[in-house]
Amino acid sequence: MPSPIEWLMSLLAILLFLTAVSDCKYRRIPNSLCIVTALLCGGLMVANDQWSNMFHPFAVMAIGVLLSHYRILGGGDSKLLAAYSLAIPSNFLSTTVLIIALLGGLISLFYVIRTRLFKKPARGIPYGIAISLGCSLSILAAIGTP
């Protein structure tokens, strides 16, 4: 029988897919996906007894508001990263940001090539994919580490 952590990770995988579809199709991450992600990541925080993670969303949102103001990152992206940060231990946050940046770079490269080859206008980069995948990888890596 799967453990609660395995159930929560399975549900997060489904949310990752839904986030990717929404961000690719509409360039928007609905608040409902961010809220459900925050609830699941909060459950992981409790299950892993990582109560210090509850302060991460405040720091992420403060930086996110600044990046959103300068149109570097969208508001939905900031909310999504804040939601995921509940389940990411402090010692994994910098690695998580690096993974997100690398994945985001690959996605950006794909969209640049796609735009040039097919002459399709760019509507922005669906960075929610990089955020969801990068955070999910970090959460998986952090499970079971002190």
Side-chain angles (χ1 to χ4, degrees), residues 15-47:
L15 281 176
L16 187 157
F17 176 75
L18 294 174
T19 301
V21 168
S22 176
D23 207 11
C24 281
K25 192 170 182 178
Y26 305 110
R27 294 300 186 272
R28 191 169 180 279
I29 301 171
N31 287 337
S32 57
L33 285 176
C34 292
I35 291 168
V36 174
T37 301
L39 291 171
L40 291 175
C41 288
L44 281 169
M45 178 189 74
V46 171

Coordinates of all heavy atoms in Angstrom, one line a residue, residues 15-47:
L15 N -0.7 17.4 -11.2 CA -0.8 18.8 -11.2 C 0.3 19.4 -12.1 O 0.1 20.4 -12.8 CB -0.6 19.4 -9.8 CG -1.8 19.4 -8.9 CD1 -1.5 19.9 -7.5 CD2 -2.9 20.2 -9.5
L16 N 1.5 18.7 -12.1 CA 2.6 19.2 -13.1 C 2.1 19.1 -14.5 O 2.2 20.1 -15.3 CB 3.8 18.3 -12.9 CG 5.1 18.6 -13.6 CD1 6.2 18.0 -12.9 CD2 5.1 18.2 -15.0
F17 N 1.4 18.0 -14.8 CA 0.8 17.9 -16.2 C -0.2 18.9 -16.5 O -0.2 19.6 -17.5 CB 0.3 16.5 -16.4 CG -0.4 16.3 -17.7 CD1 0.3 16.1 -18.8 CD2 -1.8 16.3 -17.8 CE1 -0.3 15.9 -20.1 CE2 -2.4 16.1 -19.0 CZ -1.7 15.9 -20.1
L18 N -1.1 19.2 -15.6 CA -2.2 20.2 -15.7 C -1.6 21.6 -15.9 O -2.1 22.4 -16.7 CB -3.2 20.1 -14.6 CG -4.0 18.8 -14.5 CD1 -4.9 18.8 -13.2 CD2 -4.9 18.6 -15.7
T19 N -0.6 21.9 -15.1 CA 0.1 23.2 -15.1 C 0.7 23.4 -16.5 O 0.6 24.4 -17.1 CB 1.1 23.3 -14.0 OG1 0.4 23.2 -12.8 CG2 1.8 24.6 -14.1
A20 N 1.4 22.3 -17.0 CA 2.1 22.4 -18.3 C 1.1 22.6 -19.4 O 1.4 23.5 -20.3 CB 2.9 21.1 -18.5
V21 N 0.0 21.9 -19.4 CA -1.0 22.1 -20.4 C -1.6 23.5 -20.4 O -1.7 24.2 -21.4 CB -2.1 21.0 -20.3 CG1 -3.3 21.4 -21.2 CG2 -1.6 19.6 -20.6
S22 N -1.9 24.0 -19.2 CA -2.5 25.3 -19.1 C -1.5 26.4 -19.5 O -1.9 27.3 -20.2 CB -2.9 25.6 -17.6 OG -3.4 26.9 -17.5
D23 N -0.3 26.3 -19.1 CA 0.7 27.3 -19.4 C 1.1 27.3 -20.9 O 1.3 28.3 -21.5 CB 2.0 27.1 -18.5 CG 2.8 28.4 -18.3 OD1 2.2 29.4 -18.6 OD2 3.9 28.3 -17.8
C24 N 1.2 26.1 -21.5 CA 1.4 26.0 -22.9 C 0.3 26.6 -23.8 O 0.5 27.3 -24.7 CB 1.7 24.6 -23.3 SG 3.3 24.0 -22.9
K25 N -0.9 26.2 -23.4 CA -2.1 26.5 -24.2 C -2.5 28.0 -24.0 O -2.8 28.7 -25.0 CB -3.2 25.6 -23.8 CG -4.4 25.6 -24.8 CD -5.4 24.5 -24.5 CE -6.5 24.5 -25.5 NZ -7.5 23.5 -25.3
Y26 N -2.5 28.4 -22.8 CA -3.1 29.8 -22.5 C -2.1 30.8 -21.9 O -2.4 31.9 -21.8 CB -4.2 29.7 -21.4 CG -5.3 28.7 -21.8 CD1 -5.4 27.5 -21.1 CD2 -6.2 29.0 -22.8 CE1 -6.4 26.6 -21.4 CE2 -7.2 28.1 -23.2 CZ -7.3 26.9 -22.5 OH -8.3 26.0 -22.8
R27 N -0.9 30.3 -21.7 CA 0.2 31.2 -21.0 C -0.4 31.7 -19.7 O -0.1 32.9 -19.3 CB 0.6 32.3 -21.9 CG 1.4 31.9 -23.1 CD 2.6 31.1 -22.8 NE 3.4 30.9 -24.0 CZ 3.3 29.8 -24.8 NH1 2.4 28.9 -24.5 NH2 4.0 29.6 -25.8
R28 N -1.0 30.9 -19.0 CA -1.7 31.3 -17.7 C -1.7 30.1 -16.8 O -1.9 29.0 -17.2 CB -3.1 31.7 -18.0 CG -3.8 32.4 -16.9 CD -5.1 33.0 -17.3 NE -5.7 33.7 -16.2 CZ -6.4 33.0 -15.2 NH1 -6.6 31.7 -15.3 NH2 -6.9 33.7 -14.2
I29 N -1.4 30.3 -15.5 CA -1.4 29.3 -14.5 C -2.6 29.7 -13.5 O -2.5 30.7 -12.8 CB -0.1 29.2 -13.7 CG1 1.0 28.8 -14.7 CG2 -0.2 28.1 -12.6 CD1 2.4 28.9 -14.1
P30 N -3.7 29.0 -13.6 CA -4.8 29.4 -12.7 C -4.5 29.3 -11.2 O -3.7 28.5 -10.8 CB -5.9 28.3 -13.1 CG -5.5 27.7 -14.4 CD -4.0 27.8 -14.4
N31 N -5.1 30.2 -10.5 CA -5.0 30.3 -9.1 C -5.4 28.9 -8.4 O -4.8 28.5 -7.5 CB -5.8 31.4 -8.4 CG -5.2 32.7 -8.7 OD1 -4.0 32.9 -9.0 ND2 -6.0 33.8 -8.7
S32 N -6.4 28.3 -9.0 CA -6.8 27.0 -8.4 C -5.7 26.0 -8.4 O -5.5 25.2 -7.5 CB -8.0 26.5 -9.2 OG -7.7 26.3 -10.6
L33 N -4.9 25.9 -9.5 CA -3.7 25.0 -9.6 C -2.7 25.4 -8.5 O -2.1 24.5 -7.9 CB -3.1 25.0 -11.0 CG -3.9 24.2 -12.0 CD1 -3.2 24.4 -13.4 CD2 -4.0 22.8 -11.7
C34 N -2.5 26.6 -8.3 CA -1.5 27.1 -7.3 C -2.0 26.7 -5.9 O -1.2 26.3 -5.1 CB -1.3 28.6 -7.4 SG -0.4 29.1 -8.9
I35 N -3.3 26.9 -5.7 CA -3.8 26.6 -4.3 C -3.7 25.1 -4.0 O -3.3 24.7 -3.0 CB -5.3 27.1 -4.2 CG1 -5.3 28.6 -4.2 CG2 -6.0 26.5 -3.0 CD1 -6.7 29.2 -4.4
V36 N -4.1 24.3 -5.0 CA -4.1 22.8 -4.8 C -2.6 22.4 -4.6 O -2.3 21.5 -3.8 CB -4.7 22.0 -6.0 CG1 -4.5 20.5 -5.8 CG2 -6.2 22.4 -6.0
T37 N -1.7 23.0 -5.4 CA -0.3 22.7 -5.3 C 0.2 23.0 -3.9 O 1.0 22.3 -3.2 CB 0.6 23.4 -6.3 OG1 0.1 23.0 -7.6 CG2 2.0 23.1 -6.2
A38 N -0.2 24.2 -3.4 CA 0.2 24.6 -2.0 C -0.3 23.7 -1.0 O 0.4 23.3 0.0 CB -0.3 26.1 -1.8
L39 N -1.6 23.2 -1.1 CA -2.1 22.3 -0.2 C -1.4 20.9 -0.2 O -1.1 20.4 0.9 CB -3.6 22.0 -0.5 CG -4.6 23.2 -0.2 CD1 -6.0 22.9 -0.7 CD2 -4.6 23.6 1.3
L40 N -1.1 20.4 -1.3 CA -0.3 19.2 -1.4 C 1.1 19.3 -0.9 O 1.6 18.5 -0.2 CB -0.3 18.7 -2.9 CG -1.6 18.2 -3.4 CD1 -1.5 17.8 -4.9 CD2 -2.2 17.0 -2.6
C41 N 1.7 20.4 -1.2 CA 3.1 20.7 -0.7 C 3.1 20.9 0.8 O 4.0 20.5 1.5 CB 3.8 21.8 -1.5 SG 4.2 21.3 -3.2
G42 N 2.0 21.6 1.2 CA 1.9 21.7 2.7 C 1.8 20.4 3.4 O 2.3 20.1 4.5
G43 N 1.0 19.5 2.7 CA 0.9 18.1 3.3 C 2.3 17.4 3.3 O 2.6 16.7 4.2
L44 N 3.0 17.6 2.2 CA 4.4 17.0 2.2 C 5.3 17.6 3.3 O 6.1 16.9 3.9 CB 5.0 17.2 0.8 CG 4.6 16.3 -0.3 CD1 5.1 16.7 -1.6 CD2 5.1 14.9 0.0
M45 N 5.1 18.9 3.5 CA 5.9 19.6 4.6 C 5.6 19.0 5.9 O 6.5 18.7 6.7 CB 5.6 21.1 4.6 CG 6.3 21.9 5.6 SD 5.6 23.6 5.8 CE 4.0 23.3 6.6
V46 N 4.3 18.7 6.2 CA 3.9 18.1 7.5 C 4.4 16.7 7.5 O 4.9 16.3 8.6 CB 2.4 18.3 7.6 CG1 1.9 17.5 8.8 CG2 2.0 19.7 7.8
A47 N 4.2 15.9 6.5 CA 4.5 14.5 6.5 C 6.0 14.3 6.7 O 6.4 13.3 7.3 CB 4.1 13.9 5.1

